[in-house]
């Protein structure tokens, strides 16, 4: 057995030589960051509801999420830990005892578990191997009014457009391999979640969404009501991208064949995807405040992510990579802060993106960014 200390819990998992879905019980130390963020998100959500809450860890593995929610989050009175693997179930029972908590342990296919417990949980955590797509219908059906639906996807090669067909198959969406393809992937996952919920007359807004390491994670606030679902669907659309000049724009509804307004080249489309905000400023602020009361090993990295995500709120979908623009212009890249400063002075809104250190989100177009870069070069020489 291997002993693991995460947050305020200690668990044991059977020895594994490498992190793999073939391990007897799955535990990935790299995902500690994801779990630290989740603990803060569940806590911030519990503060919104301001009462005792119940949480479902539907793909529990070692039980670490359910156990951490029970031990580390104030106001979690009930947690379910479900996994289809009988060894995982044994491991969850062992680790629960080790931490003196008693989650409701079950061994079911997650889709059946969710269908069998409609409207029961305030938080549903979906953390499968690879794609969550086959489970999203059941998660959407099960999610109660005013609940949190947290979803992880590790099939990033499809969502980001390295492979197109898997994304079409799983999410009925076309990805596009651009410099901001991780954001497009995140928006495809968010859009897919919203469309699944709409089928059950439920609306969604996103409290936090991030693409980190090898996975994507979204936190949807689910609200019941056909009108809410209709309003939510207004945020579904496409991003059009010009590979010739790097211009991009978003369109709500189905796009027509379109030429780039800047250079006339044919534009490619990604979607359907979520065009609305991926985060809620107040919610992230509350997560940051909660971090002070928790003992998280990844606290510094988590706060850095949350701070950058707050800056993204209200900014347009997609971003520009300053290095990519400079290489098209054939000039060296000026400091990012200088480009951002130039855009700010010219009256544009501008922020960084958590997805790429060389990316900037702005309401300026690619031509305006090029101009500022060339001005910076002019003033230097
Ligand atoms: C990525 S791991 C979960 C990791 C865990 N949530 C954590 O944070 O450490 C996916 C888990 O899903 C389980 N699993 C696979 N297919 C399943 C299904 N259809 N229903 C329920 N559990 C399933 C696997 O046994 C595995 O433990
Ligand atoms: Zn163009």
């Amino acid at each position: 057995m291997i002993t693991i200390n995460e947050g305020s819990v200690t668990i044991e998992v059977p020895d594994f030589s490498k992190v793999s879905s073939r391990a007897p019980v799955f535990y990935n130390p790299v995902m500690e960051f994801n779990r630290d963020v989740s603990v803060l998100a569940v806590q911030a959500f519990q503060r919104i509801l301001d009462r005792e809450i119940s949480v479902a860890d539907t793909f529990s593995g070692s039980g670490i999420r359910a156990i951490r929610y029970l031990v580390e989050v104030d106001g979690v009175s009930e947690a379910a830990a479900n996994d289809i693997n009988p060894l995982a179930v044994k491991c969850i029972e062992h680790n629960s005892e080790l931490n003196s908590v008693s989650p409701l342990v079950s061994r079911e296919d997650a889709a059946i578990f969710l269908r069998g417990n409609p409207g029961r949980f305030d938080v549903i955590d979906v953390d499968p191997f690879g794609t969550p797509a086959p489970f999203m219908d059941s998660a959407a059906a099960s999610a109660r009014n005013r609940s949190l639906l947290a979803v992880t996807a590790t099939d990033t090669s499809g969502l980001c457009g390295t492979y197109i067909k898997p994304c079409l198959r799983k999410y009925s969406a076309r990805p596009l391999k651009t410099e901001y393809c991780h954001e497009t992937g995140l928006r495809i996952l968010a859009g897919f979640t919203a469309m699944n919920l709409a089928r059950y007359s439920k609306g969604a807004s996103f409290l936090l969404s991030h693409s980190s390491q090898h996975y994507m994670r979204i936190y949807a606030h689910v609200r019941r009501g056909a009108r809410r679902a209709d309003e939510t669907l207004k945020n579904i659309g496409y991003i059009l991208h010009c590979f010739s000049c790097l211009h991009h724009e978003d369109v709500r509804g189905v796009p027509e064949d379109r030429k780039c307004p800047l250079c006339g080249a044919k534009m490619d489309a990604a979607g359907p995807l979520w065009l609305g905000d991926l985060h809620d400023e107040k919610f992230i602020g509350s997560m940051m405040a909660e971090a002070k009361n928790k003992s998280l090993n990844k606290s510094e990295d988590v706060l850095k992510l949350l701070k950058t995500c707050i800056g993204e709120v209200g900014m347009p979908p997609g971003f520009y990579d300053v290095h990519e623009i400079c290489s098209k212009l054939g000039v060296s890249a000026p400091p990012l802060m200088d480009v951002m400063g130039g855009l700010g002075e010219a009256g544009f809104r501008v922020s960084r993106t958590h997805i790429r250190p060389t990316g900037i989100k702005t309401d300026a177009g690619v031509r305006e960014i090029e101009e500022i870069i060339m001005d910076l070069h002019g003033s230097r020489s």
Side-chain angles (χ1 to χ4, degrees):
M1 292 288 246
I2 307 176
T3 302
I4 288 137
N5 294 300
E6 248 191 47
S8 311
V9 310
T10 299
I11 63 154
E12 291 177 345
V13 292
D15 233 329
F16 58 90
S17 49
K18 71 176 196 284
V19 176
S20 145
S21 57
R22 285 194 217 109
V25 176
F26 187 85
Y27 170 80
N28 187 353
V30 167
M31 291 303 239
E32 179 173 4
F33 178 81
N34 179 326
R35 289 184 285 268
D36 280 1
V37 174
S38 303
V39 162
L40 295 180
V42 174
Q43 184 67 79
F45 193 69
Q46 186 275 335
R47 299 281 184 231
I48 295 176
L49 295 185
D50 196 22
R51 58 168 170 76
E52 299 280 298
I53 62 167
S54 59
V55 180
D57 178 10
T58 56
F59 295 81
S60 197
S62 61
I64 182 122
R65 278 173 195 268
I67 294 169
R68 287 194 62 180
Y69 295 148
L70 280 167
V71 173
E72 295 175 35
V73 180
D74 301 338
V76 173
S77 55
E78 178 189 74
N82 176 72
D83 200 284
I84 204 163
N85 173 2
L87 271 181
V89 166
K90 279 215 171 76
C91 191
I92 297 167
E93 281 162 350
H94 172 76
N95 285 325
S96 301
E97 227 178 280
L98 214 58
N99 289 280
S100 312
V101 289
S102 312
L104 308 161
V105 184
S106 57
R107 193 200 145 206
E108 281 187 282
D109 178 279
I112 292 169
F113 172 82
L114 286 161
R115 285 284 176 184
N117 290 286
R120 163 127 189 225
F121 300 106
D122 298 299
V123 178
I124 295 176
D125 193 322
V126 177
D127 185 40
F129 291 138
T131 183
F135 305 99
M136 292 306 292
D137 179 67
S138 319
S142 183
R144 62 183 291 173
N145 187 30
R146 300 193 74 206
S147 66
L148 181 69
L149 175 56
V151 183
T152 312
T154 57
D155 55 335
T156 51
S157 58
L159 283 164
C160 295
T162 305
Y163 303 108
I164 294 171
K165 284 181 184 162
C167 193
L168 285 168
R169 282 200 304 273
K170 309 284 182 213
Y171 300 96
S172 308
R174 173 169 287 276
L176 211 52
K177 192 100 186 103
T178 61
E179 55 278 23
Y180 52 89
C181 61
H182 283 78
E183 184 178 319
T184 311
L186 202 50
R187 290 183 180 280
I188 288 175
L189 177 62
F192 183 74
T193 304
M195 288 187 278
N196 271 282
L197 286 161
R199 208 179 305 125
Y200 295 97
S201 295
K202 294 170 192 173
S205 60
F206 292 89
L207 299 175
L208 172 69
S209 322
H210 64 109
S211 165
S212 304
Q213 295 148 327
H214 66 291
Y215 65 90
M216 294 178 181
R217 175 89 163 160
I218 52 137
Y219 295 86
H221 187 188
V222 180
R223 308 286 298 271
R224 273 197 87 86
R227 276 236 305 278
R228 285 209 178 94
D230 294 342
E231 282 304 308
T232 299
L233 290 182
K234 289 184 183 160
N235 290 296
I236 300 290
Y238 291 76
I239 295 179
L240 302 180
H241 182 85
C242 174
F243 281 101
S244 166
C245 75
L246 304 183
H247 166 73
H248 62 251
E249 59 189 53
D250 49 271
V251 278
R252 305 210 170 212
V254 180
E256 290 162 20
D257 244 4
R258 195 156 144 69
K259 290 216 161 69
C260 173
L262 301 192
C263 74
K266 184 178 170 297
M267 296 182 82
D268 286 281
L273 45 69
W274 181 258
L275 291 173
D277 261 324
L278 288 170
H279 325 286
D280 180 287
E281 189 171 351
K282 209 168 142 210
F283 186 80
I284 298 180
S286 164
M287 286 177 68
M288 291 172 85
E290 293 297 342
K292 295 194 184 84
N293 314 319
K294 309 279 182 218
S295 118
L296 306 174
N297 294 330
K298 306 287 174 197
S299 186
E300 215 174 287
D301 294 341
V302 170
L303 287 172
K304 193 170 153 217
L305 168 78
L306 296 179
K307 201 168 151 236
T308 315
C309 287
I310 283 193
E312 293 176 9
V313 175
M315 298 304 286
F319 57 82
Y320 296 96
D321 186 302
V322 170
H323 286 202
E324 193 114 350
I325 295 176
C326 289
S327 99
K328 253 203 157 75
L329 292 171
V331 299
S332 60
L336 199 75
M337 289 326 252
D338 292 357
V339 181
M340 292 178 72
L343 285 165
E345 271 170 34
F348 295 108
R349 290 184 304 133
V350 60
S351 82
R352 300 193 71 152
T353 158
H354 77 277
I355 287 174
R356 255 200 197 194
T358 51
I360 49 171
K361 282 186 158 288
T362 176
D363 53 358
V366 67
R367 291 280 193 262
E368 285 97 359
I369 303 172
E370 285 174 352
E371 245 171 62
I372 280 161
I373 291 171
M374 293 319 285
D375 281 354
L376 285 169
H377 273 277
S379 64
R380 271 207 243 150
S381 53

